[in-house]
Amino acid sequence: MKSGATSARRRNDVGGKVLREGRGGHGMQRREVRKPNIKRPWSSKGVGRLQLHKSFVCGALPVPTDTGLMLAGIQDSLASEPGNALSLPTWVVHTSSVIEWIVAIQLVLNYARVTGKREYNRLAYGMLPLHASSMCAVTYHFFYNAPALSALVTLQAGLTCFGNVTLLLAAYSIYDSMKDSQEEEEDDTSDNSIEVTEEEIQAVYESRNIKLESDSSFLVKATLICVFTALVVKYGSLLISLPFNPSGKAAAVLVVAPTVILGIDIATKTSGQQQPQ
C-alpha cells in the first residue's frame, strides 16, 4: 500500500449508499455518496424464472409490480412454472384439438337430426373414445408430464386404437345404409326429384331450432375460445397446487368427467329422434 496522497477506498453497498474511506494528510475521512435511484418498470426478482423462460405472454410483456401485494403473489406463482411446461401456442394447439372435436360431434348430431339418418348418431358415439384419448394427453401435460402419471400415455394409445375401430364401424354403418338407399332409388324408375331452395332449407333449420352463423363469425369465436382456454389452463393452473401434486384420482376425474358429460349430451340429443316426414 502507498501512504500520503494515495488513498484506499472501501465500498459497502447498504440501502443504496456507498461508504468511502480515504487516508490523506488530514487523517481518516469518511463520506457518504448516494447511488442514483433508478426505477425499473418491473421487478426482475419478482418475475424470476418467468423472464428467463421468456414465455409467450408474460416474458414478452413484463408485469408491473407497483399494483400491490396481490400482483406480487401472482408473479411468484407464475415464476414457479417448471421448465418442461408447454408454451402458450402449444396449449392453443391442444385446446383447439379438443374443442374442434367436440364441435365436429355436435355438427354430426345436427346433421342426423335434420336428415333423420340415425346411423350418423353412431358416428357421434364412435368419436367419443378419441375425445377421451385427447383428454389423456391434455391431462398428462396439465401435470407437467409427471412420471407418476405415465400410464396416461399408454391409455391414450389404447383409446386411440379403440376409437379408430369405432369410427370404422360407424363409417361402415353409414356406407351400408347409403348402399341400401341407392338400390331403392335404382328400383324406382319414376322421376321424383324435387328442387329445394335455400329459403326452404333455412326454414327446416329454424323448425328444428338449429341456428346458423356465418363462417367468419364462427372462425373468430372459435379462435377466441381456444386462445382463452389455453390461457386459463397454462397460467390459471399455476395459481393452484393441483398440477404440482400429481394424483391418479385427480387425473382420472379430468379424463373421465368430460367424456361422460359429452356422452350424456349425445344420448340426450339422440333420444326420441324421429324420422323426417
Side-chain angles (χ1 to χ4, degrees):
M1 297 179 64
K2 296 182 180 181
S3 60
T6 306
S7 63
R9 296 180 178 177
R10 180 171 60 88
R11 296 188 178 185
N12 297 323
D13 191 354
V14 180
K17 299 179 181 179
V18 177
L19 302 180
R20 296 185 178 180
E21 294 180 357
R23 185 177 300 166
H26 301 285
M28 183 69 70
Q29 296 179 351
R30 185 179 182 90
R31 56 179 178 165
E32 194 176 274
V33 181
R34 287 187 173 273
K35 288 184 179 180
N37 186 13
I38 301 176
K39 293 184 178 180
R40 299 180 180 179
W42 66 86
S43 173
S44 58
K45 182 178 180 181
V47 179
R49 280 182 295 171
L50 188 63
Q51 284 186 338
L52 297 177
H53 175 63
K54 292 184 181 293
S55 60
F56 189 76
V57 172
C58 291
L61 300 175
V63 182
T65 57
D66 300 333
T67 55
L69 296 177
M70 182 180 296
L71 185 56
I74 295 177
Q75 289 178 347
D76 291 339
S77 299
L78 296 178
S80 64
E81 185 176 46
N84 65 341
L86 299 185
S87 64
L88 180 60
T90 306
W91 268 119
V92 171
V93 171
H94 280 74
T95 55
S96 62
S97 298
V98 175
I99 293 174
E100 72 179 1
W101 197 251
I102 296 175
V103 171
I105 292 177
Q106 298 301 322
L107 292 176
V108 169
L109 291 173
N110 287 341
Y111 182 80
R113 182 172 57 176
V114 170
T115 61
K117 297 179 179 180
R118 297 186 179 183
E119 55 271 14
Y120 281 89
N121 292 332
R122 302 189 189 103
L123 178 60
Y125 281 111
M127 298 170 71
L128 198 56
L130 290 177
H131 173 71
S133 174
S134 66
M135 291 307 302
C136 287
V138 170
T139 301
Y140 187 58
H141 294 314
F142 176 79
F143 287 100
Y144 302 107
N145 305 341
L149 301 178
S150 58
L152 287 173
V153 179
T154 305
L155 180 60
Q156 179 195 7
L159 288 172
T160 301
C161 180
F162 178 68
N164 290 335
V165 173
T166 56
L167 281 181
L168 173 64
L169 296 176
Y172 181 80
S173 175
I174 295 174
Y175 162 76
D176 191 50
S177 64
M178 291 178 62
K179 184 175 64 174
D180 295 339
S181 299
Q182 289 177 355
E183 291 177 354
E184 292 177 359
E185 290 177 358
E186 290 176 357
D187 294 337
D188 187 6
T189 57
S190 59
D191 187 10
N192 296 324
S193 59
I194 301 176
E195 294 184 0
V196 181
T197 63
E198 293 184 1
E199 290 76 8
E200 291 175 337
I201 297 176
Q202 182 71 24
V204 171
Y205 277 107
E206 292 178 356
S207 65
R208 298 178 182 273
N209 296 323
I210 298 176
K211 297 180 180 180
L212 300 179
E213 60 180 332
S214 63
D215 294 339
S216 58
S217 175
F218 175 78
L219 179 61
V220 171
K221 183 172 66 174
T223 302
L224 291 177
I225 291 174
C226 293
V227 173
F228 176 76
T229 305
L231 285 169
V232 171
V233 173
K234 178 175 174 61
Y235 296 111
S237 62
L238 295 175
L239 304 178
I240 59 178
S241 61
L242 180 61
F244 303 96
N245 298 285
S247 167
K249 293 181 180 180
V253 171
L254 291 178
V255 173
V256 174
T259 306
V260 171
I261 293 174
L262 184 57
I264 293 175
D265 180 67
I266 295 174
T268 302
K269 292 180 178 179
T270 56
S271 62
Q273 194 176 90
Q274 298 179 355
Q275 296 283 349
Q277 298 178 355

